[in-house]
Structures are given as structure tokens and as C-alpha cells.
Amino acid sequence: MEVFYQRHIDQEIQSLIERIHPPRVCIDNDSCRYCSIVKVDSANKHGVLLDMVQVLTGLELIISRSYISSDGGWIMDVFHVTDQAGKKLTDQKLVLHIQKALCTTRSKTPESQQNVSKENTVLEITALDRPGLLSEISAVLTHSGCHVTSAMAWTHNDRAACIIYIEDATKHGPINDPTRLAQVEEQLENVVVAHGGRGERKSVRMTTVGGGCTHPERRLHQLLYADRDYESCSACHGDSKGEHKKVCDGTHVSISKCEDKGYWVVNVRSSDRPKLLFDTVCVLTDMQYVVFHATTTSKSSIADQEYFIRHIGNNSTLDNESEREKLILCLISAIERRVSHGVRVDICTENRVGLLSNVTRVFRENGLSISRVEFGTDGEKAVGTFIVEDCSGEEVNPSIAELVRQECGGTVVIDNKSPHRVTETKNSIEANPWFSLGSMLWSQLERISSNFGPIHS
């Protein structure tokens, strides 16, 4: 039997160490000709890598390479980054903001997060995906006197997950009446089960929470993972020798054991795209795996990631073949969830009650299914990005842009390009994010992301 020593550090001692030796952040613009190098040296906590990646991707920076190394108690993160134009980070205001954000991320405590976060009413739903689902959900909210201030939704493997941030349409604040919350929740459950079969998996939870810090996109990963969307995935294991054909452009994951160090080595090869690193690290973190060393690189449109991991509780977990297969499928699912098929419709218009309901109703009435949504409001402005496809498999009629404009006013732009098309000349693990009017409001979505705290069962 193999035994690997893993030192235990008391929580209070760990906190003292962090106060004495706070995170150190260095942004180097001299060592590399093509990019800035962000170095972060900090105490190693579970989730530290995810926090770092979350900050950088939240600022829409492109990560071309990353190197992570840890001795168990301390971790060094090195990221090669550029802005969206592929340039170094020369704006001193941005540099200072990154440094402050990375240091604050590792030093804040759950208690301090709770104190700075106001009360928010949050709706989380997972259900069987079907055309018109979001339209019906938003219609119920409008008829119940709820104003949607932001929403995010993903679909994957016939499952749908959405997080909707709402407030009272008349009082412009959280909905604190438990009776009213229960009534709206019951109506939403009726909508969700209306077209599902007996015993169909679904979850509807509407609550007012007093804080929290879970990133909305990470929360969507958690919801779909809890909904077991990975069970419909299939892994490509190559031919009888495990070799993949050159024409195979699927996501490939392999897991092996490093016997002498007690690590499990996870290798991932997939198409490069925006936020790929974030999505991969999300699933490793939420499945309780600690990353001790990692390297991510890309060549042309292909990204390679390698992680040396251990399970936070029982490192022998992956000795079980079924557990290894589960981790493989979960990684594939996390990578696939953000890749949506269809056309992108961007809107920018006046913020008003029922706007999301009106826009999604136009899609439903014209036979379109929504696969992804980013919608948010900021004062008098509302911005949304919708990925839609025709339910019958036909091409989306370009006239949908005019129909949406007639319904909501403002500016409506339609783009038939794939939302995650990778430019082959771009050499990055985080390819240049596709532009949308929705990015204009991303800073607002980031600001309220702390409002989407976990909703406990």
C-alpha cells in the first residue's frame, strides 16, 4: 500500500501566514516581446487557481500560456496575457486594477464578502431543454411583478440551466415576502414540468440571499454538473491503441498516475476558444481536485492542457476506473457547455419591465430556440446577447433582427458567424472573445456576480 505524506496546516495559522505574507503580483512587460507576463505568488488554498483565472477572464484578457507550480503551501501562477487587440497591458490604470483585483481575491474572507453584498433575489432553474422555455419563465416573472435585471442561461445535452437576478418591479429592491416567493416558485415549477415526462429531473429555487461570491458562469457549471448533463457525453478513446486520427477535432482527455509523486496527471486536448482555461479549472475545483502543477499552451487552433492533481479528500478515488471515466466526461462537458450552435443576436435598448419576456417571445413565435443568453441592465440601459437556432433545422431568417427591433426598440445586430470561431493565426489558450454588444455590459455583470451566491438545498 502506498502512503503519501500530506502536511496539515491549521486554518488560523494559514490565515496568519497570509496576513504576514500577502499575495504578490508582478506584471512584467519586458521579458516577452509579444505579451505581458502576470506573476502571482500566494498561499495555496483550494480554488486559488480558479480565482486567478476568473479575475483575468472577467477583464476580457487573452491568456496565451500559463504555468502553475506549488509545493503544497505556496503557489506560483504565471500567465502570458494580452488585451483583446493582442497587445501588451500598457494602460497603467488597467495594470493597477489587475494587481488590486488579484490581491483582493486571495485576501478577502467569506465574512467580508457577506458584509459588502446587499440582499438579492435569485432564481436558479435546471430542467429539460425545449423551445420557448425561457420565454415562458420570463413571462411568469413579468406577470408576477418581477423585473429581471440580469440573466444567464446555458443549454447542453438537452438540459438547460439559468440564473436570473430579479427585483420587485414597483419597489426596485429584493423580494422578501416568503409567501410571494413560494407562489412565484410554484408557478415556475408548473412551467418547467409542463412538457416533461413523469420523473423528469428539474430544479427550481427562488430565494433572497444576503451575499455570496460565486461567479455566475461557475454557478452554471455547478448547476449542470448537479443535473448530470455529463451522463449524455461520450469520450473519444481513439483506436485500439488509443491513437486519434488527425481529422478528429473532438475533445480528448486522458488520465494517468504519476507513481513516484502520488499525482494524477490529466491531459486535455481540444479546440481553442474563449475561457477554455476557466471552464476546465471550474470542474476540477468543484470536483474537489487540487491542482499542484499545470501547463497550458496552444498551437494554431488547438489547445493543450496538463494538470497534476490530487483529490482533496481521498487521492485513491481515481484508482477506480468508473471515477476516472466520470472525471473525463465531466471535463468534456465543461468544455462543451459554452460552445453553442446558431446565430448571435445582440440588443441594446431602453431598460424596462418585461423586456426579456418580450424579446424571448419574439424568438418563440418565430420558431427559434435559445441556446445561450447573457442579459443585463445598468440604469436606463439594457444589453443582451442571445444565441438562437431554428427549431426545424433551417437557417435563421435575418428578418428576426427587425422583428426584435420592432418589439424592443434600440439597436439589434445579427451575426451568422459561430460565437466561438477560432482564428487560426491566433496562438492562444483563450482565443480572442467574439465581440458583442453584450460585452458593453460585462463589467456590470461582473459587479453583480457576487449576487449569485450558492443556493443551498
Side-chain angles (χ1 to χ4, degrees), residues 173-191:
I175 302 172
N176 294 309
D177 183 356
T179 302
R180 182 180 177 189
L181 289 174
Q183 291 174 344
V184 177
E185 187 176 306
E186 181 180 3
Q187 294 179 54
L188 291 169
E189 285 184 342
N190 291 334
V191 168

Side-chain angles (χ1 to χ4, degrees), residues 432-449:
N432 194 12
W434 45 278
F435 173 77
S436 75
L437 292 175
S439 63
M440 294 169 56
L441 199 62
W442 186 247
S443 60
Q444 171 70 5
L445 290 174
E446 287 293 311
R447 183 181 68 81
I448 65 174
S449 66

Side-chain angles (χ1 to χ4, degrees), residues 229-360:
D229 69 322
Y230 57 86
E231 291 181 346
S232 298
C233 277
S234 59
C236 177
H237 296 290
D239 58 21
S240 59
K241 297 181 180 179
E243 297 179 354
H244 301 285
K245 296 179 180 179
K246 292 183 179 180
V247 296
C248 182
D249 59 355
T251 300
H252 304 294
V253 181
S254 65
I255 301 175
S256 59
K257 192 171 186 178
C258 183
E259 297 287 351
D260 56 337
K261 298 294 184 180
Y263 295 122
W264 286 94
V265 185
V266 178
N267 285 281
V268 182
R269 168 165 286 195
S270 66
S271 297
D272 196 9
R273 62 161 179 76
K275 298 190 177 181
L276 176 62
L277 181 59
F278 173 84
D279 294 337
T280 306
V281 177
C282 265
V283 70
L284 290 173
T285 303
D286 288 330
M287 293 184 72
Q288 301 295 299
Y289 291 101
V290 179
V291 176
F292 286 85
H293 309 283
T295 303
T296 65
T297 59
S298 67
K299 184 177 181 181
S300 186
S301 61
I302 301 298
D304 286 294
Q305 305 175 68
E306 183 177 54
Y307 300 91
F308 290 75
I309 65 172
R310 288 177 183 159
H311 194 274
I312 200 170
N314 181 6
N315 199 46
S316 63
T317 298
L318 292 176
D319 285 330
N320 188 311
E321 185 177 350
S322 63
E323 288 298 321
R324 292 197 299 274
E325 187 71 13
K326 178 181 177 181
L327 177 56
I328 289 172
L329 295 181
C330 286
L331 285 167
I332 293 173
S333 295
I335 292 170
E336 288 182 349
R337 287 169 190 150
R338 198 185 293 271
V339 180
S340 304
H341 302 284
V343 301
R344 187 177 78 248
V345 180
D346 296 321
I347 68 168
C348 181
T349 187
E350 179 185 355
N351 179 20
R352 64 178 182 272
V353 175
L355 177 62
L356 182 63
S357 176
N358 293 339
V359 174
T360 53

Side-chain angles (χ1 to χ4, degrees), residues 205-237:
R205 186 69 181 271
M206 187 175 184
T207 186
T208 299
V209 295
C213 62
T214 302
H215 190 285
E217 293 182 345
R218 181 184 179 188
R219 187 63 184 145
L220 286 171
H221 277 302
Q222 292 174 337
L223 291 174
L224 285 167
Y225 170 71
D227 195 46
R228 307 197 304 275
D229 69 322
Y230 57 86
E231 291 181 346
S232 298
C233 277
S234 59
C236 177
H237 296 290

Side-chain angles (χ1 to χ4, degrees), residues 375-393:
F375 174 83
T377 61
D378 185 11
E380 297 180 353
K381 181 191 295 184
V383 178
T385 297
F386 303 83
I387 310 299
V388 299
E389 53 187 342
D390 191 280
C391 298
S392 61

